[in-house]
Tab-separated table of all heavy atoms in Angstrom:
chain	number	residue	atom	x	y	z
H	106	LEU	N	-15.755	-17.904	-9.063
H	106	LEU	CA	-15.383	-17.838	-7.666
H	106	LEU	C	-14.047	-17.126	-7.496
H	106	LEU	O	-13.873	-16.300	-6.602
H	106	LEU	CB	-15.299	-19.260	-7.099
H	106	LEU	CG	-14.948	-19.395	-5.629
H	106	LEU	CD1	-15.981	-18.662	-4.761
H	106	LEU	CD2	-14.859	-20.848	-5.202
H	107	VAL	N	-13.103	-17.420	-8.381
H	107	VAL	CA	-11.805	-16.787	-8.326
H	107	VAL	C	-11.962	-15.266	-8.556
H	107	VAL	O	-11.349	-14.448	-7.872
H	107	VAL	CB	-10.829	-17.393	-9.365
H	107	VAL	CG1	-9.571	-16.547	-9.464
H	107	VAL	CG2	-10.493	-18.801	-8.983
H	108	ALA	N	-12.800	-14.910	-9.533
H	108	ALA	CA	-13.002	-13.496	-9.823
H	108	ALA	C	-13.585	-12.761	-8.638
H	108	ALA	O	-13.160	-11.653	-8.295
H	108	ALA	CB	-13.936	-13.374	-11.037
H	109	VAL	N	-14.560	-13.404	-7.975
H	109	VAL	CA	-15.150	-12.774	-6.773
H	109	VAL	C	-14.117	-12.621	-5.683
H	109	VAL	O	-14.023	-11.600	-5.022
H	109	VAL	CB	-16.340	-13.626	-6.262
H	109	VAL	CG1	-16.810	-13.116	-4.894
H	109	VAL	CG2	-17.494	-13.567	-7.259
H	110	SER	N	-13.254	-13.650	-5.499
H	110	SER	CA	-12.235	-13.591	-4.478
H	110	SER	C	-11.246	-12.456	-4.744
H	110	SER	O	-10.851	-11.708	-3.844
H	110	SER	CB	-11.477	-14.942	-4.402
H	110	SER	OG	-12.349	-15.974	-4.085
H	111	VAL	N	-10.830	-12.315	-6.014
H	111	VAL	CA	-9.918	-11.249	-6.400
H	111	VAL	C	-10.559	-9.899	-6.132
H	111	VAL	O	-9.911	-8.966	-5.607
H	111	VAL	CB	-9.489	-11.387	-7.850
H	111	VAL	CG1	-8.738	-10.126	-8.316
H	111	VAL	CG2	-8.643	-12.628	-8.057
H	112	PHE	N	-11.845	-9.788	-6.492
H	112	PHE	CA	-12.550	-8.529	-6.243
H	112	PHE	C	-12.576	-8.182	-4.762
H	112	PHE	O	-12.349	-7.015	-4.379
H	112	PHE	CB	-13.990	-8.656	-6.768
H	112	PHE	CG	-14.859	-7.477	-6.388
H	112	PHE	CD1	-14.798	-6.274	-7.068
H	112	PHE	CD2	-15.730	-7.552	-5.312
H	112	PHE	CE1	-15.584	-5.210	-6.714
H	112	PHE	CE2	-16.513	-6.482	-4.915
H	112	PHE	CZ	-16.455	-5.293	-5.642
H	113	MET	N	-12.822	-9.197	-3.891
H	113	MET	CA	-12.871	-8.936	-2.457
H	113	MET	C	-11.518	-8.485	-1.925
H	113	MET	O	-11.441	-7.600	-1.074
H	113	MET	CB	-13.329	-10.199	-1.717
H	113	MET	CG	-14.806	-10.524	-1.934
H	113	MET	SD	-15.934	-9.210	-1.427
H	113	MET	CE	-15.627	-9.203	0.352
H	114	VAL	N	-10.444	-9.111	-2.414
H	114	VAL	CA	-9.102	-8.719	-1.982
H	114	VAL	C	-8.825	-7.274	-2.353
H	114	VAL	O	-8.330	-6.460	-1.577
H	114	VAL	CB	-8.023	-9.656	-2.596
H	114	VAL	CG1	-6.630	-9.098	-2.365
H	114	VAL	CG2	-8.144	-11.020	-1.985
H	115	ILE	N	-9.168	-6.920	-3.619
H	115	ILE	CA	-8.944	-5.543	-4.078
H	115	ILE	C	-9.793	-4.575	-3.272
H	115	ILE	O	-9.352	-3.511	-2.864
H	115	ILE	CB	-9.276	-5.444	-5.590
H	115	ILE	CG1	-8.256	-6.251	-6.391
H	115	ILE	CG2	-9.266	-3.988	-6.052
H	115	ILE	CD1	-8.611	-6.385	-7.881
H	116	TRP	N	-11.032	-4.999	-2.984
H	116	TRP	CA	-11.939	-4.114	-2.202
H	116	TRP	C	-11.403	-3.880	-0.844
H	116	TRP	O	-11.385	-2.728	-0.348
H	116	TRP	CB	-13.301	-4.802	-2.135
H	116	TRP	CG	-14.333	-3.987	-1.387
H	116	TRP	CD1	-15.032	-2.914	-1.810
H	116	TRP	CD2	-14.753	-4.220	-0.009
H	116	TRP	NE1	-15.867	-2.450	-0.826
H	116	TRP	CE2	-15.709	-3.242	0.267
H	116	TRP	CE3	-14.420	-5.166	0.945
H	116	TRP	CZ2	-16.328	-3.165	1.499
H	116	TRP	CZ3	-15.045	-5.085	2.172
H	116	TRP	CH2	-15.991	-4.116	2.449
H	117	MET	N	-10.901	-4.938	-0.172
H	117	MET	CA	-10.312	-4.782	1.151
H	117	MET	C	-9.088	-3.877	1.129
H	117	MET	O	-8.893	-3.044	1.988
H	117	MET	CB	-9.964	-6.137	1.770
H	117	MET	CG	-11.166	-6.964	2.205
H	117	MET	SD	-12.156	-6.130	3.460
H	117	MET	CE	-10.991	-6.133	4.823
H	118	PHE	N	-8.245	-4.062	0.090
H	118	PHE	CA	-7.070	-3.235	-0.056
H	118	PHE	C	-7.468	-1.778	-0.191
H	118	PHE	O	-6.876	-0.887	0.417
H	118	PHE	CB	-6.250	-3.682	-1.280
H	118	PHE	CG	-5.050	-2.810	-1.524
H	118	PHE	CD1	-3.899	-2.990	-0.794
H	118	PHE	CD2	-5.099	-1.804	-2.489
H	118	PHE	CE1	-2.779	-2.175	-1.016
H	118	PHE	CE2	-3.995	-0.989	-2.710
H	118	PHE	CZ	-2.832	-1.166	-1.991
H	119	ASN	N	-8.494	-1.552	-1.002
H	119	ASN	CA	-8.920	-0.168	-1.227
H	119	ASN	C	-9.487	0.451	0.031
H	119	ASN	O	-9.381	1.678	0.234
H	119	ASN	CB	-9.951	-0.103	-2.352
H	119	ASN	CG	-9.312	-0.289	-3.719
H	119	ASN	OD1	-8.115	-0.035	-3.890
H	119	ASN	ND2	-10.103	-0.745	-4.687
H	120	ARG	N	-10.121	-0.376	0.878
H	120	ARG	CA	-10.646	0.183	2.137
H	120	ARG	C	-9.507	0.698	3.003
H	120	ARG	O	-9.697	1.602	3.804
H	120	ARG	CB	-11.442	-0.861	2.919
H	120	ARG	CG	-12.835	-1.113	2.367
H	120	ARG	CD	-13.588	-2.008	3.320
H	120	ARG	NE	-14.029	-1.296	4.499
H	120	ARG	CZ	-15.157	-0.633	4.570
H	120	ARG	NH1	-15.957	-0.522	3.529
H	120	ARG	NH2	-15.499	-0.014	5.692
H	121	GLU	N	-8.317	0.144	2.868
H	121	GLU	CA	-7.189	0.623	3.657
H	121	GLU	C	-6.602	1.884	3.045
H	121	GLU	O	-5.853	2.586	3.719
H	121	GLU	CB	-6.102	-0.466	3.716
H	121	GLU	CG	-6.440	-1.638	4.601
H	121	GLU	CD	-5.247	-2.482	4.903
H	121	GLU	OE1	-4.180	-2.204	4.344
H	121	GLU	OE2	-5.377	-3.409	5.688
H	122	ASN	N	-6.887	2.173	1.800
H	122	ASN	CA	-6.190	3.244	1.139
H	122	ASN	C	-7.097	4.348	0.618
H	122	ASN	O	-6.617	5.329	0.048
H	122	ASN	CB	-5.354	2.690	-0.014
H	122	ASN	CG	-4.239	1.821	0.511
H	122	ASN	OD1	-3.201	2.300	0.956
H	122	ASN	ND2	-4.438	0.521	0.496
H	123	THR	N	-8.421	4.196	0.740
H	123	THR	CA	-9.312	5.225	0.246
H	123	THR	C	-10.384	5.480	1.274
H	123	THR	O	-10.649	4.682	2.154
H	123	THR	CB	-9.983	4.798	-1.054
H	123	THR	OG1	-10.794	3.659	-0.819
H	123	THR	CG2	-8.959	4.488	-2.127
H	124	SER	N	-11.036	6.629	1.155
H	124	SER	CA	-12.095	6.972	2.072
H	124	SER	C	-13.409	6.361	1.594
H	124	SER	O	-13.693	6.300	0.420
H	124	SER	CB	-12.263	8.498	2.100
H	124	SER	OG	-13.454	8.855	2.742
H	125	GLU	N	-14.198	5.906	2.554
H	125	GLU	CA	-15.506	5.386	2.212
H	125	GLU	C	-16.510	6.512	2.043
H	125	GLU	O	-17.598	6.324	1.514
H	125	GLU	CB	-15.973	4.453	3.347
H	125	GLU	CG	-15.270	3.109	3.386
H	125	GLU	CD	-15.532	2.305	2.138
H	125	GLU	OE1	-16.688	2.031	1.827
H	125	GLU	OE2	-14.557	1.976	1.443
H	126	ASN	N	-16.200	7.670	2.573
H	126	ASN	CA	-17.142	8.768	2.523
H	126	ASN	C	-16.392	10.072	2.353
H	126	ASN	O	-16.043	10.690	3.324
H	126	ASN	CB	-18.005	8.769	3.784
H	126	ASN	CG	-18.987	9.960	3.815
H	126	ASN	OD1	-19.290	10.509	2.780
H	126	ASN	ND2	-19.420	10.314	5.007
H	127	SER	N	-16.084	10.424	1.162
H	127	SER	CA	-15.309	11.640	0.935
H	127	SER	C	-16.189	12.895	0.951
H	127	SER	O	-15.700	13.992	0.882
H	127	SER	CB	-14.546	11.548	-0.401
H	127	SER	OG	-15.462	11.325	-1.451
H	128	GLY	N	-17.523	12.681	0.996
H	128	GLY	CA	-18.411	13.791	1.081
H	128	GLY	C	-18.499	14.544	-0.257
H	128	GLY	O	-17.912	14.178	-1.240
H	129	SER	N	-19.229	15.642	-0.233
H	129	SER	CA	-19.422	16.399	-1.455
H	129	SER	C	-18.384	17.519	-1.567
H	129	SER	O	-18.349	18.238	-2.557
H	129	SER	CB	-20.826	16.998	-1.492
H	129	SER	OG	-21.038	17.809	-0.328
H	130	HIS	N	-17.547	17.678	-0.524
H	130	HIS	CA	-16.544	18.736	-0.551
H	130	HIS	C	-15.480	18.429	-1.602
H	130	HIS	O	-15.030	17.318	-1.753
H	130	HIS	CB	-15.873	18.852	0.850
H	130	HIS	CG	-16.764	19.513	1.856
H	130	HIS	ND1	-16.444	20.669	2.501
H	130	HIS	CD2	-17.999	19.144	2.320
H	130	HIS	CE1	-17.424	20.998	3.340
H	130	HIS	NE2	-18.378	20.103	3.260
H	131	THR	N	-15.061	19.478	-2.277
H	131	THR	CA	-13.975	19.321	-3.228
H	131	THR	C	-12.626	19.353	-2.486
H	131	THR	O	-11.654	18.800	-2.928
H	131	THR	CB	-14.012	20.415	-4.284
H	131	THR	OG1	-14.008	21.696	-3.655
H	131	THR	CG2	-15.270	20.272	-5.140
H	132	ASP	N	-12.615	20.076	-1.339
H	132	ASP	CA	-11.424	20.193	-0.545
H	132	ASP	C	-11.473	19.178	0.584
H	132	ASP	O	-11.884	19.537	1.693
H	132	ASP	CB	-11.360	21.596	0.047
H	132	ASP	CG	-10.074	22.272	-0.300
H	132	ASP	OD1	-9.229	21.590	-0.858
H	132	ASP	OD2	-9.885	23.449	0.045
H	133	VAL	N	-11.099	17.974	0.385
H	133	VAL	CA	-11.145	16.928	1.388
H	133	VAL	C	-9.757	16.588	1.862
H	133	VAL	O	-8.867	16.322	1.041
H	133	VAL	CB	-11.872	15.674	0.833
H	133	VAL	CG1	-11.793	14.542	1.850
H	133	VAL	CG2	-13.303	16.005	0.517
H	134	THR	N	-9.549	16.582	3.173
H	134	THR	CA	-8.273	16.174	3.730
H	134	THR	C	-8.359	14.705	4.126
H	134	THR	O	-9.273	14.274	4.831
H	134	THR	CB	-7.957	17.009	4.984
H	134	THR	OG1	-7.870	18.390	4.618
H	134	THR	CG2	-6.608	16.564	5.580
H	135	ARG	N	-7.391	13.917	3.663
H	135	ARG	CA	-7.415	12.488	3.897
H	135	ARG	C	-6.460	12.149	5.051
H	135	ARG	O	-5.292	12.563	5.039
H	135	ARG	CB	-7.023	11.713	2.635
H	135	ARG	CG	-7.970	11.940	1.497
H	135	ARG	CD	-7.597	11.139	0.268
H	135	ARG	NE	-8.500	11.411	-0.828
H	135	ARG	CZ	-9.697	10.833	-0.982
H	135	ARG	NH1	-10.077	9.924	-0.136
H	135	ARG	NH2	-10.495	11.166	-1.988
H	136	VAL	N	-6.962	11.402	6.023
H	136	VAL	CA	-6.123	10.887	7.106
H	136	VAL	C	-6.331	9.384	7.216
H	136	VAL	O	-7.331	8.866	6.763
H	136	VAL	CB	-6.432	11.570	8.475
H	136	VAL	CG1	-6.120	13.057	8.409
H	136	VAL	CG2	-7.885	11.333	8.878
H	137	GLN	N	-5.388	8.737	7.826
H	137	GLN	CA	-5.482	7.287	7.974
H	137	GLN	C	-5.425	6.927	9.469
H	137	GLN	O	-4.759	7.612	10.259
H	137	GLN	CB	-4.308	6.606	7.277
H	137	GLN	CG	-4.425	5.078	7.223
H	137	GLN	CD	-3.279	4.453	6.447
H	137	GLN	OE1	-2.112	4.575	6.818
H	137	GLN	NE2	-3.601	3.777	5.338
H	138	MET	N	-6.178	5.902	9.837
H	138	MET	CA	-6.115	5.415	11.216
H	138	MET	C	-5.874	3.927	11.219
H	138	MET	O	-6.158	3.219	10.226
H	138	MET	CB	-7.418	5.732	11.969
H	138	MET	CG	-8.640	5.023	11.448
H	138	MET	SD	-10.144	5.414	12.403
H	138	MET	CE	-9.833	4.527	13.966
H	139	SER	N	-5.310	3.418	12.349
H	139	SER	CA	-4.986	1.985	12.429
H	139	SER	C	-5.385	1.480	13.801
H	139	SER	O	-5.325	2.187	14.798
H	139	SER	CB	-3.486	1.767	12.172
H	139	SER	OG	-2.723	2.427	13.137
H	140	TRP	N	-5.773	0.191	13.834
H	140	TRP	CA	-6.117	-0.466	15.071
H	140	TRP	C	-6.074	-1.984	14.852
H	140	TRP	O	-5.979	-2.440	13.737
H	140	TRP	CB	-7.532	-0.029	15.528
H	140	TRP	CG	-8.658	-0.595	14.740
H	140	TRP	CD1	-9.312	-1.768	14.932
H	140	TRP	CD2	-9.298	0.006	13.592
H	140	TRP	NE1	-10.324	-1.955	13.992
H	140	TRP	CE2	-10.320	-0.897	13.133
H	140	TRP	CE3	-9.088	1.175	12.878
H	140	TRP	CZ2	-11.105	-0.609	12.033
H	140	TRP	CZ3	-9.877	1.450	11.770
H	140	TRP	CH2	-10.874	0.555	11.369
H	141	TRP	N	-6.155	-2.701	15.985
H	141	TRP	CA	-6.243	-4.161	15.909
H	141	TRP	C	-7.431	-4.627	16.747
H	141	TRP	O	-7.936	-3.876	17.590
H	141	TRP	CB	-4.953	-4.812	16.430
H	141	TRP	CG	-4.747	-4.688	17.921
H	141	TRP	CD1	-5.220	-5.496	18.886
H	141	TRP	CD2	-4.036	-3.622	18.582
H	141	TRP	NE1	-4.865	-5.032	20.129
H	141	TRP	CE2	-4.119	-3.890	19.962
H	141	TRP	CE3	-3.329	-2.513	18.163
H	141	TRP	CZ2	-3.517	-3.059	20.934
H	141	TRP	CZ3	-2.728	-1.705	19.117
H	141	TRP	CH2	-2.840	-1.973	20.470
H	142	GLY	N	-7.847	-5.841	16.523
H	142	GLY	CA	-8.964	-6.409	17.301
H	142	GLY	C	-9.692	-7.481	16.537
H	142	GLY	O	-9.254	-7.937	15.500
H	143	ASN	N	-10.857	-7.854	17.096
H	143	ASN	CA	-11.658	-8.912	16.444
H	143	ASN	C	-12.646	-8.286	15.462
H	143	ASN	O	-12.672	-7.052	15.276
H	143	ASN	CB	-12.401	-9.719	17.513
H	143	ASN	CG	-13.233	-8.833	18.442
H	143	ASN	OD1	-13.658	-7.749	18.060
H	143	ASN	ND2	-13.457	-9.285	19.661
H	144	ASP	N	-13.447	-9.133	14.830
H	144	ASP	CA	-14.387	-8.654	13.817
H	144	ASP	C	-15.373	-7.639	14.417
H	144	ASP	O	-15.734	-6.644	13.736
H	144	ASP	CB	-15.157	-9.804	13.217
H	144	ASP	CG	-14.289	-10.663	12.297
H	144	ASP	OD1	-13.204	-10.173	11.888
H	144	ASP	OD2	-14.655	-11.807	11.991
H	145	GLY	N	-15.809	-7.889	15.648
H	145	GLY	CA	-16.737	-6.967	16.282
H	145	GLY	C	-16.157	-5.570	16.419
H	145	GLY	O	-16.821	-4.566	16.136
H	146	ARG	N	-14.899	-5.494	16.832
H	146	ARG	CA	-14.223	-4.192	16.948
H	146	ARG	C	-14.106	-3.518	15.599
H	146	ARG	O	-14.314	-2.299	15.485
H	146	ARG	CB	-12.843	-4.370	17.589
H	146	ARG	CG	-12.086	-3.021	17.744
H	146	ARG	CD	-10.745	-3.217	18.419
H	146	ARG	NE	-10.911	-3.674	19.793
H	146	ARG	CZ	-9.888	-3.894	20.622
H	146	ARG	NH1	-8.643	-3.711	20.201
H	146	ARG	NH2	-10.102	-4.310	21.848
H	147	HIS	N	-13.751	-4.292	14.566
H	147	HIS	CA	-13.649	-3.700	13.238
H	147	HIS	C	-14.956	-3.077	12.797
H	147	HIS	O	-15.003	-1.964	12.281
H	147	HIS	CB	-13.207	-4.775	12.222
H	147	HIS	CG	-11.911	-5.444	12.544
H	147	HIS	ND1	-10.904	-4.827	13.251
H	147	HIS	CD2	-11.454	-6.677	12.234
H	147	HIS	CE1	-9.875	-5.659	13.379
H	147	HIS	NE2	-10.197	-6.774	12.781
H	148	MET	N	-16.064	-3.805	13.045
H	148	MET	CA	-17.361	-3.341	12.547
H	148	MET	C	-17.792	-2.058	13.255
H	148	MET	O	-18.201	-1.107	12.586
H	148	MET	CB	-18.427	-4.419	12.777
H	148	MET	CG	-18.186	-5.689	11.894
H	148	MET	SD	-18.129	-5.314	10.136
H	148	MET	CE	-19.810	-4.792	9.852
H	149	TYR	N	-17.708	-2.024	14.600
H	149	TYR	CA	-18.199	-0.813	15.269
H	149	TYR	C	-17.236	0.379	15.035
H	149	TYR	O	-17.682	1.531	14.974
H	149	TYR	CB	-18.456	-1.029	16.749
H	149	TYR	CG	-17.256	-1.077	17.685
H	149	TYR	CD1	-16.494	0.070	17.928
H	149	TYR	CD2	-16.921	-2.237	18.355
H	149	TYR	CE1	-15.411	0.031	18.817
H	149	TYR	CE2	-15.855	-2.291	19.207
H	149	TYR	CZ	-15.090	-1.141	19.447
H	149	TYR	OH	-14.005	-1.203	20.296
H	150	THR	N	-15.960	0.088	14.872
H	150	THR	CA	-15.016	1.198	14.615
H	150	THR	C	-15.281	1.806	13.223
H	150	THR	O	-15.321	3.043	13.085
H	150	THR	CB	-13.565	0.711	14.696
H	150	THR	OG1	-13.323	0.127	15.959
H	150	THR	CG2	-12.606	1.881	14.516
H	151	MET	N	-15.509	0.964	12.228
H	151	MET	CA	-15.786	1.503	10.885
H	151	MET	C	-17.106	2.242	10.866
H	151	MET	O	-17.242	3.286	10.230
H	151	MET	CB	-15.786	0.365	9.868
H	151	MET	CG	-14.387	-0.178	9.567
H	151	MET	SD	-14.325	-1.327	8.188
H	151	MET	CE	-14.989	-2.829	8.941
H	152	LYS	N	-18.087	1.733	11.624
H	152	LYS	CA	-19.372	2.450	11.703
H	152	LYS	C	-19.188	3.816	12.382
H	152	LYS	O	-19.741	4.819	11.926
H	152	LYS	CB	-20.396	1.604	12.477
H	152	LYS	CG	-21.779	2.212	12.502
H	152	LYS	CD	-22.772	1.263	13.162
H	152	LYS	CE	-24.195	1.873	13.131
H	152	LYS	NZ	-25.181	0.957	13.781
H	153	GLY	N	-18.370	3.826	13.414
H	153	GLY	CA	-18.055	5.086	14.097
H	153	GLY	C	-17.357	6.070	13.199
H	153	GLY	O	-17.668	7.279	13.222
């Protein structure tokens, strides 16, 4: 259970710092965006 929890924390951290879809391009420009809200807002924003 602890291992799974640590994995989830690392996974969430990585979502803030890496792209979920870098595509097949070798020349990828990385940008970051920020927002606040409830779980529903997080889900539709990430899907968008």
Side-chain angles (χ1 to χ4, degrees):
L106 181 60
V107 170
V109 170
S110 299
V111 169
F112 171 79
M113 290 301 294
V114 169
I115 293 171
W116 181 78
M117 287 301 293
F118 177 80
N119 285 336
R120 283 188 74 88
E121 288 194 354
N122 293 282
T123 63
S124 168
E125 286 297 302
N126 176 21
S127 57
S129 58
H130 286 240
T131 55
D132 234 355
V133 174
T134 300
R135 298 182 183 276
V136 296
Q137 188 177 62
M138 66 179 288
S139 62
W140 72 89
W141 70 86
N143 56 26
D144 288 343
R146 179 177 296 180
H147 301 332
M148 293 303 294
Y149 78 68
T150 303
M151 288 189 284
K152 186 174 181 180

